[in-house]
Amino acid sequence: MNVKEVEQPPDPGTGGWVALVGAGPGDGGLLTVRAAELLGQAGLVVAAAHLADLARRYLSPAAQLTEPGDAAATAETLVQAARDGQLAVRLFGGDPLLNGAAAEAAACAEAGVGQLAVRLYRGDPLLSGGAAAEAAACAEAGVRFEIVPGVPLATAVPAYAGIPLASEPNAELRVIHAAEISRVAYSPATLVVLGADAGPAELGKMLIAAGWPEATPFAITWDGTTSTQQTVTTTLGRIGPDLKAAGVSLANTRGPAIAVVGEAVNMRGTLSWFETKPLFGWRVLVPRTKEQAAVVSQRLREYGAVPEEVPTIAVEPPRTPQQMERAVKGLVTGRYQWVAFTSVNAVRAVRERFEEYGLDARAFAGVKVAAVGEQTSRALLDFGIRPDLVPDQDQSAEGLAAAWPPYDDVLDPINRVLLPRADIATETLLARLIDIGWEAEDVTAYRTVRAAPPPAPIREAIKGGGFDAVLFTSSSTVRNLVGIAGKPHAVTVIGVIGPQTAKTAAEFGLRVDVTAPRPSMIALVDAMAEHGAALRAAAEEAGEPVRRPSERRRGARRRLR
């Protein structure tokens, strides 16, 4: 008897599963830990271009990132990836049903796919409208699934605007879509309106027609929780005129908008914390290598700025490696009493050479180590070395030279100091060591070369005033930036790390507005934030709109924040 083999559907208890995941309202920092974990496990991510950067933060190196096609094609891509044993991630922004989610879910259910397809929505998936239908389709197909809530727009955006939605335990809160506004009768409740960007003034007219007083406070926020967030507060009767006075129109706004109606709006003047950050919305140029700029950029984001990293130098190995080979051998054999590191790049160069030879920080046993400043000290600590000497005040080659102890033939059994440095390093420290009795060996650990020019839009923004500030952390960053991109516009706030960098900036005709109180990149960012706070305070005291420096250039669009 012939028995026909029947193909069995995938076992939902093994292999993959489905997770419906909320991405939050826009601020990448509001993504949940669980959502990040699931993204990190993905083998394939299908995401629109504006969500790609969020996805890349968590993807494994082997993961594939692609843009969606039409609904049928995208569904086929997800199903095929699942059949191939991958975890497929579909990233969505806005309302997922408007992006073909139902068709994709139906295709997955029809195929009986038992793999994990992670759907990332803006806000909470169950508040986005499509997740419940997709979860039902998974349940019907016998596919294991998980729902990962996200921070919903309805609560996150008012929180970032400084508007409490329920200030009393029994206060009423209503969340509706703008399409339902004509059916909302007056009540003392706080009303949150989703999709308010289509016609804010019309919303006010419909609420007044439904019985709401014209004097009812009204706030509308575009691009909530992002660095381009903009909130305008008014009343129902004055939405149109006040938006016009603020320079806001449907033509110059982008992204979703959330409106809040009710007395809670009046608390914004006290509780606004996000849009009042000292550098909120400032576009700040960081002319460092990507690795060096990471700490600076994170600090800038904490102050509300939008950092843009533009490398001005590239670090390359020395043309002849023999010097470094002899230096490493000398460290191991006890040739040196001291090693002086004058940059993070020097630490990295020595560490890389050590690792090539299978050595680690233990090879520094018995050798004293000096670091020029806190960033270099941090790099040494990451290597497992705690420096013995770091200048307290002037964290520069000059400051390290001034703090260096003279050679003592009784206390110091060896008089040699190793200086692994850049090929263009200054001679101040070398000369000082020789003067106080040390025998210094100057070794080229790396070369610095000028980086390639940035893309044309960046160059145009630098010269045309598109940046609000630029941070110069050395004289070479000044020279190289001007060389590859041109001089920053006169309205751009110039910040420098110390007097020498300020002198170089002045030589290029740049007005220095901010100087760090000590030669530290973090101190420079903090000083720039103090400058931004002072500009904001001066504008508010004068009763003027708070504008970013780039908005002061001739012809720039003025808008009230």
Side-chain angles (χ1 to χ4, degrees), residues 492-517:
T492 306
V493 177
I494 304 296
V496 299
I497 201 167
Q500 185 60 46
T501 307
K503 180 180 177 182
T504 305
E507 291 172 356
F508 281 90
L510 299 177
R511 180 200 67 252
V512 174
D513 304 286
V514 176
T515 301

Side-chain angles (χ1 to χ4, degrees), residues 426-441:
T426 60
E427 304 299 322
T428 303
L429 179 58
L430 179 65
R432 168 65 177 168
L433 291 174
I434 295 172
D435 286 345
I436 59 177
W438 293 96
E439 180 183 329
E441 293 189 4

Side-chain angles (χ1 to χ4, degrees), residues 50 60 71 83 122 183 188 202 267 270 292 320 355 366 369 381 470 514 528:
H50 68 281
S60 67
R83 285 174 171 162
R122 186 188 296 275
R183 300 191 297 271
E202 294 304 314
M267 292 295 293
T270 302
Q292 294 169 327
T320 55
E355 291 172 349
V369 178
L381 289 171
V470 58
V514 176
M528 183 63 71

